[in-house]
Every structure is written in C-alpha cells, then in structure tokens.
C-alpha cells in the first residue's frame, strides 16, 4: 500500500482540543474539525481520527473529490 505525506489545502497545524466534555460544542456550532483519515469503509465514508480516542465519520456525500475505479471502467 502506498502512503502519501502531504498537507491538504487549508490545513491548520493548530490542533483542536476535542474531548468528551466539549465535543457537543463543536457539533452545535458546526465547527469544522481536522484530523487524519484512518479508514474508508465499504460505503466510502471516511473515518477520521480527531484525537483523544474520538473518531469522526465524514459521509461520502460530503467528500469533495472521490475517484472510484470500477472493473471495466
């Protein structure tokens, strides 16, 4: 498996301090959080490590660019 190391456009090196006590504040304020994608499930949803043992799921519909190569295409 190839691994690429690059920072996405707009990446902020200042990490948010997300934890169990304040995660609802991030949800209620619709704050964009950043993290490292650790998994892509069979429906192409991205599972993102937000730190402090918290995983966010980015639905496929919210991913800006998805390139899916299917057999025969």
């Amino acid at each position: 498996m190839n691994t690429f190391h690059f920072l996405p456009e707009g990446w902020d090196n200042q990490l948010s301090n997300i934890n169990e006590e304040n995660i609802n504040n991030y949800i209620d304020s619709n704050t964009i959080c950043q993290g490292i994608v650790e998994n892509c499930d069979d429906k192409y949803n991205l599972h993102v490590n937000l730190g402090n043992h918290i995983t966010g799921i980015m639905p496929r519909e919210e991913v800006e660019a998805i390139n899916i190569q299917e057999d025969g295409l």
Side-chain angles (χ1 to χ4, degrees):
M1 180 169 118
N2 291 332
T3 303
F4 300 98
H5 298 280
F6 64 92
L7 295 178
E9 184 177 332
W11 183 265
D12 183 3
N13 284 329
Q14 180 78 25
L15 296 178
S16 302
N17 187 17
I18 299 172
N19 56 47
E20 291 181 14
E21 288 80 36
N22 69 10
I23 193 160
N24 287 326
N25 293 336
Y26 284 88
I27 294 169
D28 293 341
S29 64
N30 203 25
T31 299
I32 295 173
C33 300
Q34 62 186 28
I36 304 296
V37 174
E38 293 190 333
N39 188 24
C40 178
D41 63 27
D42 59 346
K43 294 180 182 175
Y44 301 102
N45 300 309
L46 302 180
H47 296 246
V48 181
N49 180 346
L50 299 173
N52 291 325
H53 306 287
I54 298 174
T55 300
I57 298 175
M58 184 175 196
R60 177 182 183 210
E61 298 81 33
E62 294 183 18
V63 177
E64 189 169 316
I66 296 178
N67 295 320
I68 302 172
Q69 184 173 352
E70 297 179 13
D71 293 337
L73 295 179

